[in-house]
Amino acid sequence: MSGLGTANRGTRINGEAAAAQLRSQLKEAVADLEHRGVTPGLAVIIVGEDPASSVYVRNKIRRSVEVGFRSFHHELPVSTSEGDLLSLILRLNDAPDVDGILVQLPLPSHIDSQRILAAVDPAKDVDGFHPLSAGKLMSGSPGVVPCTPLACMLLIRGVKKEIGGLNAVVIGRSNIVGKPMAHLLLRSDCTVTMAHSKTNSLPSVCRAADIVVAAVGHPEMVRGDWIKPGAIVIDVGINRVDREGGGRLVGDVAFHEAENVAGAITPVPGGVGPMTIACLLRNTIQSACARRGVFLPFPSEDP
Ligand code: NAD
């Protein structure tokens, strides 16, 4: 095992607790900003009534109000045209009270998601999905980091501070999770392999990894015997299974197999999910400070 000495074998990474701690720091930061006349504002747009997206949006709004943000909620019918959605985004780009704009994905198939994401003012791109933000991340320039990969990095760092030189495998190459995740790990000097649906011998690719990040969307695809003893396993997947029995959430990793082998592992639910929302709040505060020219009330560590 290469250099994972500090990760206790089988540690369950508590994403709920890590997120609660981050939110409490952010709440203090918002109170501090309030004294300086700044109240961060987050606009959330959802198009259609996808049940999972509705739950995510409700949670994002609830958490943003809890830390003291101004919240602007735009719930649009599934029939909304791309033109109407673009007009709303342009209005929010111009709205002085709005520091962050989040467009909940997926959008209905008649809307071009890339065009919508590119229309968001980069200064308000708290999801980090604008092409400019993606380019900055790739080139190593400072900029907003997408919330889920940022959440994963903070959870990894919570287990092990120094990860330079470790082998990391990211399974999944989406623009919103897999690719930015790989760039963050690369930025931290990991040797990164990006695996995807066409990767050969995925189990043996994983077995070489000190860090595995699974972002696929296939329930329990990553088995316990794919994991190197002592590895850090970050499970991004959210999959609803057993719908007839009321439905329960599982990740992309077979948790009960992998927890006996991994050094540290995130559960689903209660791992990456809550931390992702906390990172959205963090990005919104950063955007509010940058837009309004005030100092960030917390250190902007490089994840
Ligand atoms: P996506 O569908 O855009 O991408 C999935 C990726 O998995 C693709 O790049 C594909 O190449 C890869 N893949 C598919 N089948 C594979 C296989 N058999 N072997 C290896 N790779 C394979 O999905 P996404 O948006 O990146 O999301 C991935 C998962 O993460 C989903 O379950 C999603 O719900 C979840 N998610 C969770 C959070 C969170 O906050 N926890 C945030 C975003 C996404």
Side-chain angles (χ1 to χ4, degrees), residues 148 171-174 176-177 196-197 202 215-218 221 236-239 272-273 276:
T148 301
I171 317 175
R173 55 176 162 184
S174 70
I176 63 173
V177 188
H196 47 76
S197 54
L202 184 55
V216 181
H218 289 187
M221 183 187 85
V236 179
I238 302 176
N239 308 290
V272 175
T276 292

Side-chain angles (χ1 to χ4, degrees), residues 113-287:
S113 303
Q114 293 304 328
R115 194 173 298 157
I116 295 299
L117 297 176
V120 172
D121 178 348
K124 299 187 177 188
D125 174 35
V126 285
D127 251 341
F129 295 163
H130 191 281
L132 194 71
S133 307
K136 283 183 174 175
L137 180 61
M138 203 190 79
S139 62
S141 313
V144 65
V145 174
C147 306
T148 301
L150 175 58
C152 295
M153 280 311 281
L154 293 175
L155 293 175
I156 293 169
R157 296 280 197 200
V159 174
K160 190 162 173 61
K161 279 256 163 313
E162 183 44 63
I163 58 174
L166 297 185
N167 290 327
V169 170
V170 179
I171 317 175
R173 55 176 162 184
S174 70
N175 288 337
I176 63 173
V177 188
K179 284 182 197 157
M181 186 71 230
H183 284 297
L184 283 179
L185 289 162
L186 199 56
R187 197 156 97 174
S188 294
D189 298 324
C190 288
T191 303
V192 183
T193 303
M194 284 201 69
H196 47 76
S197 54
K198 301 286 187 284
T199 296
N200 290 327
S201 314
L202 184 55
S204 52
V205 170
C206 282
R207 269 181 222 119
D210 303 304
I211 299 172
V212 176
V213 180
V216 181
H218 289 187
E220 301 183 326
M221 183 187 85
V222 177
R223 311 307 308 188
D225 63 1
W226 296 22
I227 304 299
K228 178 177 175 178
I232 298 173
V233 179
I234 305 293
D235 191 351
V236 179
I238 302 176
N239 308 290
R240 189 164 289 281
V241 294
D242 188 21
R243 287 181 192 273
E244 291 80 35
R248 76 195 156 88
L249 294 181
V250 298
D252 290 342
V253 179
F255 183 84
H256 293 293
E257 294 175 14
E259 75 169 335
N260 297 321
V261 192
I265 181 167
T266 57
V268 176
V272 175
M275 200 58 177
T276 292
I277 298 184
C279 287
L280 168 70
L281 306 177
R282 186 184 193 262
N283 282 351
T284 306
I285 294 174
Q286 278 182 320
S287 151

Side-chain angles (χ1 to χ4, degrees), residues 16-31 63 66-67 278 281 285 298:
E16 292 285 1
Q21 193 183 357
L22 178 53
R23 285 197 310 270
S24 107
Q25 288 164 2
L26 297 176
K27 197 170 176 176
E28 279 175 32
V30 174
R63 293 302 189 194
E66 275 171 15
V67 294
L281 306 177
I285 294 174
F298 51 84

